[in-house]
Amino acid sequence: MPSPPEKRKKTKSPERSMTLIEHLRELRSRIFKALIFIVIGAAIGFWWYSHGLLQFLQNPYCDLPASMRLTDGTGGCKLLFFNPTDGLVLRLKISFMTGMVISAPFWLYELWAFVTPGLHKNERRWAVSFVGVSSFLFALGTACAYLTLKAGLRVLVGLAGPDVTAALSAPEYLNFVIILLIVFGVSFELPLLMVMLNLVGVLKYDLLKKSRRWLIFLTFVFAAVITPSQDPFSMLAMAIPMAILFECAIQFARVHDKRVARRQMAQGFEDIPDDEPSPLNPEE
């Protein structure tokens, strides 16, 4: 009597495609986790506000000469607000922004984890590096903004003339500072975006090499337009580091593309057109 044919075991591939409903559920889960991290960071920012954070944000204005700012009669530095609810709104806004910054490594990881199912195995290995480098670049951008804020304020306030004192309101001044810090931090992420596009094969070194001069020129134009203070110190503080980071990204693309080309030559894929699939091992 012939033995019954063996049933094939169904294996669930970790690389299987997800349905639309599964994608939406995954997105909802990632957003929920990211919001939890942001809320925790905002709670820390709410406490930190009255334990040094406000003074930290206020220091660039208070470091101006006493003749250029409002004092309290004893040489101290004061900011004003004119609406009873401004204090609460201001504290909540700064707490939320602080929470976004503090929790950045965590919600950036959630963002990357949502994207990774659509990437190849070797591309997903860059998750930790992406989160770490992006957090570092954001912190570097905010540090550059803060260090140049004093010089930028001196220029802006000094343009009004020696007989004018800057009695700044707390909401307007702190909004200005927060926007400046965030703009610098996000702008410093752009070279990392270039690196990621090169890793996934969208942006090649040859194109970046041809566009280097235009890229540097547009970097300075971007810095001149995007900086809220519009002063030369802030513009240069953004443009020069960004130009250096873009050059580092270009050199990374050069090294990466050479390694990819050598690997393809070793596997014998160099003669395959770009629009044809290469015989890659699906297990790799």
Side-chain angles (χ1 to χ4, degrees), residues 48-89:
W48 188 16
Y49 180 87
S50 57
H51 293 79
L53 178 59
L54 178 61
Q55 185 62 39
F56 174 77
L57 297 175
Q58 194 174 342
N59 280 339
Y61 170 68
C62 294
D63 288 341
L64 294 175
S67 60
M68 301 177 67
R69 56 177 170 80
L70 182 66
T71 61
D72 59 0
T74 61
C77 178
K78 294 293 182 181
L79 291 172
L80 307 174
F81 67 88
F82 306 100
N83 192 312
T85 61
D86 282 350
L88 175 62
V89 173

Side-chain angles (χ1 to χ4, degrees), residues 181-257:
L181 296 178
I182 292 177
V183 165
F184 267 73
V186 173
S187 298
F188 275 46
E189 302 279 357
L190 296 179
L192 179 62
L193 177 61
M194 181 188 299
V195 169
M196 301 309 297
L197 292 176
N198 175 258
L199 286 174
V200 299
V202 176
L203 200 57
K204 298 295 185 180
Y205 168 70
D206 292 337
L207 177 61
L208 294 175
K209 182 180 179 182
K210 296 177 182 178
S211 308
R212 179 186 278 115
R213 293 182 179 179
W214 276 105
L215 188 61
I216 295 175
F217 172 74
L218 292 176
T219 298
F220 279 84
V221 174
F222 172 80
V225 173
I226 202 66
T227 49
S229 59
Q230 301 294 316
D231 64 275
F233 298 101
S234 299
M235 184 199 74
L236 292 176
M238 176 184 286
I240 294 176
M242 281 186 65
I244 295 174
L245 290 173
F246 275 128
E247 182 60 30
C248 292
I250 293 174
Q251 295 306 316
F252 177 92
R254 178 179 65 84
V255 175
H256 176 257
D257 286 1

